[in-house]
Amino acid sequence: MERLDKRLASTGRWSRKEARELIRAGRVQVQGQVCRSIDQKVEEDALVAVDGASIGAAGPVYLMLHKPAGVVSATEDREEKTVLDLLPDPYPAMGLFPVGRLDKDTEGLLLLTNDGPLAHRLLAPKRHVDKVYYVEVDGILDQQDVEAVSQGIVLRDGYQCLPGKLELLEGNTSAYITIREGKYHQIKRMMAARGKPVSYLKRIRFGPLQLDPQLDKGGWRALTQEELQELFRQ
Ligand code: URA
């Protein structure tokens, strides 16, 4: 069940406020009956119409965003620009939210959806979805760091991370790092525990999704059918 005003707004054609005005004005029908109650809840498959015209099914939306630095992974924020501010209409009104968070200064792949059950599944701690990041550090990475990550780094607060993978890149000041959990500032804290603070971080993979190299920073696109199928298989 979902609120009628939310269902109307999820089409992107009206804001929640406009939807409530339509409902109060008696212009909205549910299963053929005029509904004037803004608190009304409707079934997912209920027939909803405005002025007699069906609004159609509110299908879920799945977008891949190349998050730039400087925006927060939230749906609203009083001071900061959010990832939803990067999307054109009608998306900001479709109830999208980021699946997990990237820090304000972290770039890269962020999945945005309004499919709550899928997001919940992907974020469930037991699910252990792989996330791969490109990381640059202040300092020189070495085999001891590789070993420590593969054992599971102990953070300065005593938390023992799950085993991950560190693949050193040329020069040993950058690497690919794979983690299977998503604790607050996790990679920054892992690298801090090694005495090699992160200077740049970018997520390049989330489960089966690879950051599309065609997407510039701030760019986005809908997931392809293949990507969606793989995501649902996770
Ligand atoms: N780890 C971090 O420290 N920051 C992120 O944004 C993601 C993972």
Side-chain angles (χ1 to χ4, degrees), residues 54 97 125 170 187:
S54 167
F97 53 88
E170 213 180 313
I187 292 176

Side-chain angles (χ1 to χ4, degrees), residues 101-103 106 133 179 183 185-189 201:
R101 282 167 187 267
L102 293 177
D103 298 337
T106 301
Y133 294 80
I179 57 170
K183 303 281 174 213
H185 287 341
Q186 181 155 350
I187 292 176
K188 291 177 184 158
R189 288 157 71 212
L201 190 61

